[in-house]
Amino acid sequence: MNGVLIDTSVWVSFFRGGNESIREEINRLLLENQVCICPPIYQEILQGVKDEFEFDRLRDLLDALIWLDIPYKDLAFRAANLFFSLRTKGISIRKSMDCQIAVFAIHFKVPIFEFDRDFELIQRGTDLKLYKP
């Protein structure tokens, strides 16, 4: 599958008008229809919204992206297994939600565009690919 899974940490920077080169890269990926989304990122973005207008506007934007989906029971098992296997390798992940997000990226073979050190740790013990613009 083609595409890039953009983590919430990068979206927050984008929406707040952060780094110009990051904004340009996301806009390029959006124009080329290369941006993927998964349920945990969808939830994290929408739960951070301040008003109904922004909620509706962001929901419309996110709904137009490439949707990655895994049945919830499978996702829960894979994320728990990932967390456990990393811990047995001495790798501690701070946020279990990052294991869920990583499962989507690994399963669909798409890189994650991220600003979160948990993904760098997950990459050490898995086939996770990180996107570096």
Side-chain angles (χ1 to χ4, degrees):
M1 165 178 273
N2 291 331
V4 176
L5 184 58
I6 299 177
D7 182 51
T8 310
S9 59
V10 177
W11 281 117
V12 168
S13 175
F14 176 77
F15 292 135
R16 290 185 178 162
N19 182 299
E20 180 68 28
S21 64
I22 299 300
R23 287 195 340 261
E24 288 175 5
E25 183 64 13
I26 292 173
N27 282 323
R28 183 187 69 76
L29 291 167
L30 287 166
L31 287 171
E32 294 176 3
N33 196 31
Q34 294 293 309
V35 179
C36 300
I37 188 119
C38 63
I41 294 172
Y42 186 86
Q43 176 186 340
E44 286 180 333
I45 292 170
L46 290 177
Q47 72 190 19
V49 170
K50 302 286 188 248
D51 63 59
E52 189 173 344
F53 175 78
E54 184 182 1
F55 187 93
D56 291 340
R57 186 177 64 83
L58 277 177
R59 185 190 64 223
D60 289 344
L61 168 72
L62 299 175
D63 286 347
L65 302 178
I66 300 166
W67 189 260
L68 306 179
D69 205 5
I70 296 172
Y72 191 70
K73 183 179 177 184
D74 293 343
L75 172 63
F77 173 79
R78 290 178 189 190
N81 188 49
L82 174 60
F83 190 92
F84 174 77
S85 69
L86 291 170
R87 191 176 62 213
T88 63
K89 295 175 183 176
I91 300 171
S92 297
I93 304 303
R94 296 172 299 145
K95 297 177 286 185
S96 60
M97 183 79 80
D98 288 344
C99 286
Q100 288 187 14
I101 294 167
V103 164
F104 283 98
I106 293 166
H107 178 79
F108 288 99
K109 296 177 175 46
V110 295
I112 295 182
F113 189 176
E114 50 72 38
F115 296 147
D116 186 327
R117 74 176 182 90
D118 274 348
F119 293 113
E120 294 168 14
L121 294 172
I122 293 169
Q123 182 187 37
R124 290 185 198 167
T126 67
D127 292 333
L128 180 67
K129 304 287 186 259
L130 302 181
Y131 183 78
K132 299 296 181 190

